[in-house]
Amino acid sequence: MAKKKQKIKIMLSSTVYGFEDQLSQITAQLNLLDYEVLNSYNGSIKVNPKLSNLENCLNAVEECDLFLGIIRPFYGTGNIGEKNITFEEIKKAIALKKPYWFLVHRDVVFARLLFEKLKLKSGDKIEVEKNRFFDPRTIDVYEYVIENHIPVRLRNGNWAQEFYRLDEMMIYVNSVSKKTLQN
């Protein structure tokens, strides 16, 4: 009897609320490409009821073969103390040296560049208060992914594909996932 081929498991990591339709479309596309998608929003990660949401999500990172992280201008609601579930997933995927790809919303890239240039006449940095339009902590996530702490010439694996619309995300998702299947 022929052994059933195991699907490649890809973890889709992202903030959820306000982007449910995008996550569903990306998940559907990856399923069409024959991946097994691990994503908390779609209920496709193993949940141990004795573990925290953070622990279950980090276990999914360990379980996946590939990792796709999406950085949006919102930090999300999955915050446990000082830890953000999406950011912790990203850090774990990188630490485990999983093959990974990142999408970053253009507002995060734009805000990072803008905030670097904004200063008071006194030279003090301007702090952004908590608001519903943009969470400056997303810049920390982006800088972690692009290895901002490492000199540019020494960086590796720091690509983050900028997007604004879903179709731009889908082009990248299709491109990297098809090429991964070919290798």
Side-chain angles (χ1 to χ4, degrees):
M1 182 174 183
K3 193 173 183 178
K4 187 176 179 182
K5 184 181 171 190
Q6 289 255 328
K7 289 185 174 183
I8 297 171
K9 294 179 182 178
I10 185 166
M11 173 127 184
L12 178 57
S13 174
S14 170
T15 54
V16 173
Y17 299 107
F19 309 104
E20 295 91 338
D21 59 330
Q22 294 179 352
L23 292 174
S24 292
Q25 290 187 47
I26 292 170
T27 298
Q29 182 61 27
L30 290 169
N31 283 329
L32 281 174
L33 293 169
D34 211 26
Y35 286 96
E36 179 179 341
V37 181
L38 307 179
N39 178 255
S40 60
Y41 170 68
N42 288 300
S44 56
I45 65 169
K46 292 178 190 165
V47 176
N48 180 337
K50 295 180 180 176
L51 299 178
S52 70
N53 291 351
L54 175 62
E55 291 168 315
N56 280 310
C57 289
L58 293 178
N59 285 342
V61 175
E62 288 181 15
E63 181 186 348
C64 75
D65 302 304
L66 309 171
F67 185 88
L68 176 61
I70 303 173
I71 305 165
R72 302 179 190 276
F74 309 102
Y75 207 54
T77 57
N79 299 308
I80 301 170
E82 294 296 316
K83 293 186 175 181
N84 171 271
I85 291 177
T86 304
F87 195 10
E88 294 303 315
E89 291 169 347
I90 289 169
K91 287 192 271 188
K92 183 140 193 171
I94 292 172
L96 292 175
K97 300 186 184 328
K98 298 281 182 174
Y100 55 78
W101 298 270
F102 294 100
L103 287 158
V104 59
H105 193 276
R106 78 162 188 199
D107 289 354
V108 176
V109 177
F110 175 79
R112 177 177 177 262
L113 294 172
L114 179 65
F115 293 163
E116 284 177 354
K117 302 294 180 197
L118 290 178
K119 289 192 174 45
L120 296 173
K121 285 187 176 183
S122 64
D124 293 336
K125 196 173 181 180
I126 295 175
E127 290 193 24
V128 179
E129 293 183 357
K130 187 174 182 175
N131 65 77
R132 65 186 178 101
F133 304 108
F134 183 83
D135 190 322
R137 294 176 294 181
T138 61
I139 294 172
D140 297 335
V141 179
Y142 177 56
E143 289 185 340
Y144 187 86
V145 165
I146 64 169
E147 300 180 338
N148 195 50
H149 58 287
I150 298 173
V152 172
R153 68 181 192 286
L154 300 176
R155 296 180 195 176
N156 277 320
N158 60 323
W159 186 272
Q161 180 66 37
E162 192 174 321
F163 74 94
Y164 180 66
R165 299 181 318 265
L166 176 62
D167 63 306
E168 295 169 333
M169 298 170 76
M170 296 305 279
I171 289 169
Y172 188 66
V173 167
N174 281 320
S175 176
V176 298
S177 58
K178 285 179 182 173
K179 287 177 183 160
T180 301
L181 286 175
Q182 292 169 353
N183 293 331

